[in-house]
Amino acid sequence: MQPDHLLAAGVAVFQTGATEFVGAYQDDLRSVVVFLGTLVGVYLLGRIVLLPPLVRAVRARNPNNPTVVEAIELYLGVGFVVVGIPIAVQAAGLGGVAAGSGIVLAAATLALGVAGQEVIGNLVSGVFLVADPDFNVDDYIVWDETEGTVEEIDLRVTRVRTPGGEVVVVPNTMLTSTAITRPFARDRYRVEESLTVAYSEPIDEVRGMLLDVAAADPRTLDDPAPAVHVTELGGSAVEVTVWFWVGDPTDVDIASLRTEYRTEAKQRLLDAGVAVAPANPQDLSGRVTVETDDRPDDR
């Protein structure tokens, strides 16, 4: 047989095999194409038609929070895929297959739900944090004796930078289940320091010295003005608390500010002879026994 005859015979065999393959699996291939096409169509419809106005609304509500916009885009993208899958299954005529494997799907869903409940909880909490207008990037927050500036809100965690410069990665569920305090009204922060002095000390003079130390710091705001209050009358001493306000704590080293104020206030009071943190008197009760040595003297 000539080479060209062999080539023609090979092509004929290939065409026959391809025709039989396509004929045997034509329905399955059509279902796969319809499934993928529908899923992509739903996703693109959501991204092109629904996503832009929603992103514009979120950006208008949070103009200084790009992290929120990015999170919304990611959440909605995942949501479009989740919504598109059942639509694509029905469009491809695979509903019977999905129904037949319902037990398997239910078991798999239960297993994934149990194994990933913490992750899912963080994801849901992330949605609530993103949607909360009072929780934004650059906010200074305090929770569980920890404080810092919110730097990023992710799907699973929130990153907070402490006054010491450390970045704390906090699971979103912790922030949604814990009371969060915002100790400053976006543009100022209240510093609070307490100390005790003896009852015999002139409280008015002590208050004046503490106010002078606070006002002398150039970081202290004039409005509201520093204030000193007597906050407790103890058994042997008086507790005095000073309040003064500084600017945005993201621009002020709060830890250094506290240290400098405490040092200067202590020195000012000591120079004035004020007894700071006087010792508590102790009441003793009982009997004292004196033992004598009854042994004879060897001298």
Side-chain angles (χ1 to χ4, degrees):
M1 183 177 291
Q2 298 298 325
D4 54 345
H5 294 164
L6 290 174
L7 178 61
V11 171
V13 171
F14 175 78
Q15 290 177 344
T16 301
T19 301
E20 293 178 353
F21 177 82
V22 172
Y25 296 98
Q26 183 175 7
D27 293 340
D28 294 337
L29 291 175
R30 183 183 298 110
S31 298
V32 171
V33 171
V34 172
F35 175 84
L36 294 177
T38 304
L39 180 60
V40 172
V42 171
Y43 178 78
L44 292 178
L45 178 65
R47 295 283 300 186
I48 297 173
V49 177
L50 299 178
L51 185 60
L54 292 175
V55 169
R56 284 195 296 269
V58 173
R59 185 180 288 113
R61 185 177 180 181
N62 303 273
N64 300 319
N65 194 347
T67 303
V68 173
V69 177
E70 295 173 1
I72 287 296
E73 291 179 346
L74 181 57
Y75 286 143
L76 291 178
V78 174
F80 295 149
V81 174
V82 172
V83 172
I85 289 177
I87 297 176
V89 168
Q90 293 298 326
L94 300 176
V97 177
S101 58
I103 297 178
V104 177
L105 292 176
T109 303
L110 178 60
L112 290 175
V114 173
Q117 57 182 346
E118 183 175 352
V119 175
I120 295 173
N122 285 320
L123 293 177
V124 174
S125 298
V127 173
F128 284 112
L129 291 177
V130 167
D132 189 348
D134 294 327
F135 189 89
N136 299 288
V137 172
D138 293 333
D139 282 354
Y140 194 87
I141 62 174
V142 179
W143 81 99
D144 286 346
E145 300 182 357
T146 305
E147 58 186 289
T149 303
V150 178
E151 287 198 335
E152 187 176 0
I153 307 172
D154 289 339
L155 285 172
R156 189 179 60 86
V157 298
T158 296
R159 290 173 174 82
V160 180
R161 183 173 295 277
T162 65
E166 300 175 334
V167 176
V168 181
V169 180
V170 188
N172 289 332
T173 52
M174 180 178 295
L175 295 178
T176 55
S177 60
T178 304
I180 298 177
T181 303
R182 298 176 59 200
F184 71 103
R186 294 187 181 275
D187 58 347
R188 63 176 183 244
Y189 177 84
R190 189 183 76 186
V191 180
E192 181 176 330
E193 294 292 337
S194 298
L195 61 110
T196 57
V197 297
Y199 271 99
S200 58
E201 302 296 342
I203 298 300
D204 289 341
E205 295 182 12
V206 171
R207 294 178 66 250
M209 287 184 282
L210 294 177
L211 288 174
D212 290 342
V213 174
D217 195 309
R219 293 165 292 186
T220 301
L221 299 178
D222 296 329
D223 185 21
V228 177
H229 306 279
V230 176
T231 51
E232 185 178 351
L233 299 177
S236 61
V238 179
E239 182 182 76
V240 182
T241 301
V242 57
W243 291 352
F244 60 96
W245 286 260
V246 296
D248 190 334
T250 59
D251 299 328
V252 179
D253 189 343
I254 300 298
S256 298
L257 176 66
R258 290 183 183 276
T259 299
E260 294 172 11
Y261 178 82
R262 292 166 183 168
T263 303
E264 181 63 26
K266 174 185 176 183
Q267 191 60 46
R268 179 74 66 87
L269 294 175
L270 291 178
D271 291 343
V274 176
V276 180
N280 293 327
Q282 301 294 329
D283 294 330
L284 299 179
S285 61
R287 295 180 299 174
V288 177
T289 302
V290 178
E291 295 183 359
T292 59
D293 190 356
D294 296 333
R295 292 178 299 176
D297 192 351
D298 296 334
R299 291 180 296 172

